[in-house]
Amino acid sequence: FQVPEMGCPEGEIMVAIDKCGPPCELDPEGCCAVCTNTPTPSMVTEGGTCERYPKKLSKKCNTSGYWNTNKFCEYSCYLAGFGYDAEKPCCPQCVECTDTETSWMEGEGMTCDSEGSDWLLNSKCSGDDYWTTNKHCQLSCYNRGR
């Protein structure tokens, strides 16, 4: 593991030796409402995910009746500061994740959780459509907060 630089972003504390997070992560009862990150039908048609539409999030999250009713992009809206529920933080719905490597990683003898994969995961986990669509290294990405 890699120890992060000293200090955490505002509103977060050290929840593990190598991870910052909200203070409630240390609460045994948990700290958040389970939420989804379901894109709108038009986003799906365009082949996009909620994360690809930051301007739309700022205009629609918790302000559009249609979005409020359907809670579209719930997790992305929360992360962007436009959460639907102001009472409790929003956490992604728990699902069973896999740790499937890309064919390139397999050819290089690399696994999702190997030491040398950090640089790759940091750039690919949430910012690469190919990775998210094909669900590469889901568990390792999740464990890194991506």
Side-chain angles (χ1 to χ4, degrees):
F1 68 88
Q2 294 180 344
V3 177
E5 293 180 25
M6 294 303 294
C8 293
E10 187 174 328
E12 292 188 355
I13 62 169
M14 292 293 289
V15 295
I17 193 167
D18 60 345
K19 181 181 173 195
C20 293
C24 55
E25 275 193 34
L26 299 177
D27 184 342
E29 293 183 23
C31 61
C32 60
V34 174
C35 60
T36 63
N37 206 29
T38 308
T40 65
S42 63
M43 289 176 179
V44 172
T45 300
E46 295 170 10
T49 61
C50 297
E51 297 85 3
R52 293 190 66 198
Y53 298 93
K55 287 183 182 177
K56 190 173 279 193
L57 296 179
S58 67
K59 293 178 183 174
K60 299 288 187 173
C61 295
N62 76 20
T63 60
S64 163
Y66 176 60
W67 276 52
N68 277 323
T69 300
N70 295 284
K71 302 241 190 271
F72 289 120
C73 300
E74 191 174 13
Y75 187 58
S76 292
C77 289
Y78 167 73
L79 291 177
F82 307 106
Y84 291 104
D85 183 2
E87 297 288 316
K88 237 179 173 184
C90 176
C91 295
Q93 186 174 10
C94 295
V95 294
E96 194 163 323
C97 298
T98 62
D99 241 0
T100 307
E101 291 82 12
T102 65
S103 56
W104 179 84
M105 291 173 74
E106 288 174 353
E108 295 293 313
M110 187 183 293
T111 63
C112 295
D113 62 351
S114 64
E115 259 184 60
S117 67
D118 285 342
W119 65 272
L120 188 60
L121 295 175
N122 287 339
S123 67
K124 298 289 187 179
C125 281
S126 59
D128 187 283
D129 287 340
Y130 176 78
W131 272 52
T132 54
T133 301
N134 293 289
K135 302 179 180 179
H136 290 295
C137 300
Q138 285 179 307
L139 183 59
S140 293
C141 289
Y142 176 79
N143 288 337
R144 286 171 172 74
R146 304 210 177 270

